[in-house]
Amino acid sequence: MEIRRHEILANGIRQRVLVAGPEDGIPVLLIHGNCSSADFWQPLIRRLPATLRLVAPDLRGYGGTQVAPVDATRGLRVFADDVAALLDEPALFGTADPRPVLVGHSLGGGVAMSLLIGHPDRVAGLLLAAPVSPYGFGGTRDLAGTPTTPDFAGTGGGTAGADFVRRLAAAERGTDARTSPRNVLRTAYVADPASLGEDEELLLDSVLSTATGDDNYPGNSEQTGNWPGMAPGDRGVLNTLAPKHFRIADELVAVSTKPPITWVRGDADVIVSDTSLFDLAYLGQLGVVPGWPGAEACPPQPMIGQTRAVLDRYAAAGGSYREIVLPGCGHSPNIERPAEFVAALLDLV
């Protein structure tokens, strides 16, 4: 399908939106993850049938959308409100009142859940691809999302690798350093770098489109006496994911309209995992981050178990969900296993 680009002023910011398919097609809204952009959906869009109306916005501070401050105290609702404002744009969805299927990857999965909570009558279904836990990223110890410390130490803006952020800001494209954006794309976003194929440069461009700084990625942080010495701040992307600001499990279970949910994940994901290499508690357990106070005080976050427990509650409250686990797949099933991902989306549609 031909991919067209629109610029829409919505929710007070200029948003770039990729659009494909006929105006009267079945609406599907694609929400990208952290350190990427709507271009991350391009390989998938090429594989989808022309009966779908595909709308893929760049979130604020990514791709071609305006670099606007991210108020982390609102959690991922700060992004969900931007996306919700697009639902009423005739250039994107025509004059009908759309009820799109939401497809959210990683952080975008949390945005999709937040959009459902805020606008339950505007959503036909959710496909969550390697989504962040409904209890946020890091800093919780069990399936109920119990905080590890009162200030959620070890989460938020201070957890980003400083060298990666520096290289991201400099738009480095090389492979000399383990923390270069290209190497992170090859080793963290996917399980097998060969799955990037001829789209590697497009996807790297998408990663490098990330705006950096305290108001965007990664955000600010606060000092704390709790291990590992930093707690979430109130600005920037990683703080929107911190459980201090993003804890939506109860709201998701209680939502008045419960569309079907499909959860797709890879069993080789190193980002959203019960053994996440981006969870400081797990890195402490491995000895990578010094001073770890032990499993009783600071266990790794059971991200997969938390999501399954919340979706079980969602189903018990009248909703439904399906979990699809792709063996050998990493954090980007839409890139790594496109055939299975397309089938899951078309089943949901």
Side-chain angles (χ1 to χ4, degrees):
M1 283 189 288
E2 178 189 2
I3 298 174
R4 302 174 298 281
R5 289 167 172 79
H6 291 254
E7 285 199 357
I8 304 291
L9 183 62
N11 201 35
I13 64 169
R14 177 183 48 78
Q15 302 188 47
R16 188 192 77 152
V17 186
L18 305 186
V19 179
E23 188 175 285
D24 60 352
I26 300 170
V28 176
L29 183 55
L30 304 164
I31 308 172
H32 68 81
N34 192 16
C35 292
S36 63
S37 70
D39 287 328
F40 226 77
W41 296 113
Q42 284 206 42
L44 177 71
I45 290 172
R46 296 189 214 116
R47 292 174 170 267
L48 291 172
T51 54
L52 303 181
R53 176 67 165 184
L54 303 168
V55 176
D58 291 330
L59 300 178
R60 63 170 61 200
Y62 298 94
T65 285
Q66 181 178 336
V67 178
V70 174
D71 177 2
T73 65
R74 303 188 64 243
L76 292 178
R77 288 178 299 170
V78 69
F79 296 115
D81 286 351
D82 291 342
V83 176
L86 298 173
L87 293 175
D88 296 319
E89 289 295 331
L92 303 180
F93 293 103
T95 57
D97 181 13
R99 293 182 65 245
V101 168
L102 306 182
V103 182
H105 175 225
S106 193
L107 171 148
V111 175
M113 289 185 271
S114 297
L115 200 155
L116 170 61
I117 291 166
H119 305 272
D121 296 327
R122 304 294 300 271
V123 178
L126 269 68
L127 195 161
L128 304 176
V132 62
S133 163
Y135 293 108
F137 197 94
T140 56
R141 65 170 54 250
D142 54 27
L143 300 188
T146 304
T148 303
T149 62
D151 58 1
F152 300 97
T155 71
T159 65
D163 195 59
F164 170 71
V165 175
R166 181 181 66 80
R167 295 175 186 278
L168 182 66
E172 289 191 11
R173 307 186 70 90
T175 58
D176 293 344
R178 179 180 57 83
T179 55
S180 74
R182 188 184 296 273
N183 281 338
V184 171
L185 173 65
R186 289 175 173 178
T187 60
Y189 285 61
V190 295
D192 178 5
S195 64
L196 299 171
E198 62 184 17
D199 289 309
E200 180 170 328
E201 298 307 316
L202 168 71
L203 299 174
L204 180 60
D205 286 342
S206 182
V207 173
L208 295 176
S209 75
T210 303
T212 57
D214 283 351
D215 281 321
N216 297 102
Y217 179 84
N220 63 350
S221 64
E222 297 181 1
Q223 292 185 332
T224 175
N226 294 312
W227 184 88
M230 88 285 287
D234 58 1
R235 299 154 57 200
V237 175
L238 291 189
N239 293 310
T240 68
L241 293 164
K244 178 179 181 180
H245 305 305
F246 181 74
R247 294 174 60 83
I248 62 166
D250 291 344
E251 293 172 276
L252 183 64
V253 171
V255 71
S256 58
T257 300
K258 291 184 171 62
I261 296 176
T262 298
W263 172 25
V264 182
R265 64 181 183 87
D267 68 359
D269 191 341
V270 299
I271 296 179
V272 175
S273 166
D274 290 353
T275 53
S276 170
L277 295 180
F278 292 76
D279 177 5
L280 294 194
Y282 183 62
L283 293 177
Q285 180 176 292
L286 295 178
V288 176
V289 179
W292 182 59
E296 183 175 347
C298 191
Q301 180 188 7
M303 300 181 189
I304 302 302
Q306 287 178 349
T307 297
R308 186 179 298 115
V310 172
L311 292 180
D312 282 343
R313 290 172 56 200
Y314 182 88
S320 64
Y321 85 95
R322 174 188 179 200
E323 179 181 357
I324 300 174
V325 183
L326 301 176
C329 179
H331 187 60
S332 303
N334 51 306
I335 299 293
E336 299 171 79
R337 303 289 281 275
E340 291 99 325
F341 196 86
V342 168
L345 175 56
L346 294 182
D347 282 348
L348 186 60
V349 169

